[in-house]
């Protein structure tokens, strides 16, 4: 298949690109290299694919209809995996308009272009944050969505809704995948695990918000990628599907694991609860298993060990380069 991957230079986008190329697909990666974090990291991500057969990179913005029309008019796209967006709960409180612009207007512009070029398959990166604050676990796709806690969560839920609308009106086949906190090598530097590993090795303080008892369902990026690939192969009709690990743990326990794997003692600074954060996430995975044959394989201990190893290898490489 020829698959257009938006957000192709990002954390999940580059892991996905590798898998798609390995499986013989053609990847058209689109990214605007925006500065939500250091764009140099994104350039390093895509440098790995330069000269790889079947890989094409386009620097451009999904909010620009002219750019998308040129792209879709030139290449025969079979399906779109739509990962481009502004990610993260906390920064969305500072820049809500930018989040809606990219995550909603960008998605609508992309949908309009797909309709113009009769491309009828889409997989969308939604988020566990759409579940908002709730006590009942695990979170099921059939749960009533109310009490969304951040502009980011609202922008992702709106993304699901405009995609569902395109399904109803124009017959788009689309799966909206609700990812539960994704981690792995090259994770976005603003996310907890990568930032904690960096700080542990640098001997810097780690800030924990609340009591450290907030609970997250951390999912290794290879498991997420396997779910995305299955989704694009099977997408038919409209579905919302959780992709998680189904094994949530408390933040403080995560830090204890990282202390073990880095061999460093954490200097913890407790801070008040962050606005917009929810106290727990926990994925019910039965729908993913049924529709996608999804089965998370990487245990947290194994995933964290791989991330720490990746971080150390990177540091050695950078030192040798100097
Ligand atoms: N990482 C997670 O834990 C997680 C969890 C739930 C959902 N998601 C969603 O998955 C997707 C990928 O997440 P990630 O962690 O890889 O983030 P990321 O920031 O590394 O990747 C997103 C990419 O989209 C690009 N982008 C942003 N705006 C764009 C625009 N207007 N046009 C073109 N490209 C644009 C960015 O430059 C970036 O490379 C995001 O949509 C995110 O909201 C991620």
């Amino acid at each position: 298949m020829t698959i257009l991957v938006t957000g192709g230079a990002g954390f999940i986008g580059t892991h996905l690109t590798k898998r798609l190329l390995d499986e013989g697909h053609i990847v058209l990666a689109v990214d605007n290299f925006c500065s939500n974090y250091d764009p140099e990291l994104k350039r390093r991500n895509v440098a790995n694919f330069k000269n790889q057969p079947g890989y094409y990179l386009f620097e451009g913005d999904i909010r620009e209809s002219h750019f998308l029309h040129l792209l879709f008019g030139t290449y025969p796209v079979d399906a779109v995996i739509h990962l481009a967006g502004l990610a993260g709960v906390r920064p969305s409180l500072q820049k809500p308009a930018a989040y809606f612009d990219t995550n909603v207007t960008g998605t609508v512009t992309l949908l309009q272009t797909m309709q113009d070029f009769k491309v009828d398959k889409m997989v969308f990166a939604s988020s566990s944050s759409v579940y908002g604050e709730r006590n009942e676990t695990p979170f099921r796709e059939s749960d009533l969505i109310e009490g969304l806690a951040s502009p980011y969560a609202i922008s992702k839920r709106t993304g699901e809704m405009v995609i569902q609308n395109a399904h109803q009106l124009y017959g788009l086949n689309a799966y909206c995948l609700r990812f539960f906190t994704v981690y792995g090598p090259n994770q976005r530097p603003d996310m907890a695990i990568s930032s904690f590993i960096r700080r542990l090795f640098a001997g810097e303080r780690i800030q924990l918000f609340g009591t450290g008892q907030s609970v997250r369902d951390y999912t290794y990026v290879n498991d997420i990628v396997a779910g995305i690939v299955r989704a694009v192969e099977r997408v038919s009709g409209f579905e919302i599907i959780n992709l998680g690990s189904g094994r949530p743990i408390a933040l403080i326990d995560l830090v204890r694991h990282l202390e073990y794997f880095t061999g460093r003692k954490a200097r913890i600074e407790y801070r008040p609860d962050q606005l917009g954060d929810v106290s727990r996430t926990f994925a019910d995975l039965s729908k993913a298993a049924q529709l996608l044959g999804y089965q998370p394989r990487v245990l947290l201990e194994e995933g964290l060990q791989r991330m720490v190893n990746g971080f150390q290898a990177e540091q050695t490489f950078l030192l040798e380069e100097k």
Side-chain angles (χ1 to χ4, degrees):
M1 276 201 276
T2 298
I3 301 175
L4 190 146
V5 179
T6 73
F11 160 50
I12 300 173
T14 41
H15 283 274
L16 173 68
T17 296
K18 183 174 181 324
R19 175 80 62 98
L20 291 173
L21 291 173
D22 286 349
E23 293 193 4
H25 296 292
I26 292 173
V27 175
L28 312 177
V30 168
D31 206 292
N32 70 348
F33 294 88
C34 64
S35 53
N36 58 331
Y37 60 88
D38 185 359
E40 205 38 54
L41 295 174
K42 301 175 189 181
R43 299 215 178 269
R44 271 178 30 203
N45 283 344
V46 294
N48 297 325
F49 304 116
K50 223 171 56 185
N51 306 327
Q52 243 186 276
Y55 180 73
Y56 303 85
L57 173 65
F58 304 90
E59 186 158 348
D61 198 302
I62 55 158
R63 292 166 295 178
E64 284 174 17
S65 175
H66 179 67
F67 161 70
L68 290 180
H69 273 74
L70 264 177
L71 191 56
F72 279 77
T74 310
Y75 296 87
V77 176
D78 295 311
V80 173
I81 301 178
H82 178 31
L83 308 177
L86 292 182
V89 164
R90 289 175 202 161
S92 78
L93 275 62
Q94 265 71 56
K95 298 186 288 183
Y99 271 68
F100 289 117
D101 192 28
T102 297
N103 296 357
V104 181
T105 307
T107 301
V108 172
T109 309
L110 179 62
L111 285 169
Q112 174 74 59
T113 313
M114 290 175 66
Q115 193 197 328
D116 292 345
F117 287 90
K118 302 196 175 4
V119 176
D120 68 351
K121 288 194 177 98
M122 178 188 247
V123 172
F124 172 59
S126 187
S127 159
S128 59
S129 65
V130 305
Y131 286 105
E133 181 62 42
R134 62 180 65 220
N135 295 325
E136 205 177 308
T137 56
F139 300 171
R140 295 195 175 83
E141 295 86 344
S142 55
D143 289 350
L144 186 65
I145 298 300
E146 54 187 1
L148 293 138
S150 65
Y152 172 64
I154 297 172
S155 74
K156 283 291 171 184
R157 177 64 188 136
T158 311
E160 293 180 352
M161 289 163 75
V162 295
I163 290 168
Q164 183 166 22
N165 186 240
H167 163 71
Q168 285 161 349
L169 294 178
Y170 313 114
L172 176 74
N173 296 296
Y175 285 175
C176 296
L177 306 177
R178 289 181 178 161
F179 302 159
F180 284 66
T181 317
V182 190
Y183 73 101
N186 294 335
Q187 190 193 37
R188 294 198 327 266
D190 56 295
M191 293 187 75
I193 299 182
S194 59
S195 136
F196 289 173
I197 293 176
R198 206 172 44 251
R199 285 171 180 279
L200 278 166
F201 279 118
E204 292 171 7
R205 261 199 284 271
I206 286 178
Q207 290 190 334
L208 290 196
F209 296 94
T211 57
Q213 293 308 316
S214 63
V215 165
R216 289 287 175 277
D217 189 328
Y218 296 98
T219 317
Y220 195 67
V221 65
N222 289 9
D223 285 328
I224 292 286
V225 162
I228 300 173
V229 172
R230 275 297 173 87
V232 79
E233 287 166 358
R234 295 186 181 189
V235 59
S236 167
F238 174 84
E239 299 290 347
I240 290 176
I241 307 170
N242 289 339
L243 291 185
S245 73
R247 292 166 169 264
I249 73 157
L251 190 57
I252 188 66
D253 295 330
L254 174 79
V255 173
R256 298 297 172 227
H257 276 90
L258 287 173
E259 284 182 318
Y260 176 77
F261 290 118
T262 57
R264 307 291 170 105
K265 180 94 188 98
R267 294 163 57 212
I268 298 175
E269 184 187 341
Y270 284 95
R271 309 276 307 182
D273 272 328
Q274 279 273 323
L275 273 180
D277 273 352
V278 295
S279 39
R280 66 188 63 75
T281 66
F282 182 177
D284 179 294
L285 298 174
S286 37
K287 188 169 177 186
Q290 190 201 339
L291 290 183
L292 306 177
Y294 175 78
Q295 184 79 55
R297 300 197 183 282
V298 181
L299 291 176
L300 187 70
E301 292 79 353
E302 192 185 342
L304 293 179
Q305 175 79 78
R306 285 191 208 172
M307 248 184 108
V308 169
N309 291 349
F311 181 87
Q312 286 176 309
E314 173 77 10
Q315 296 310 98
T316 316
F317 169 74
L318 290 176
L319 280 176
E320 280 169 0
E321 252 202 343
K322 274 185 186 166

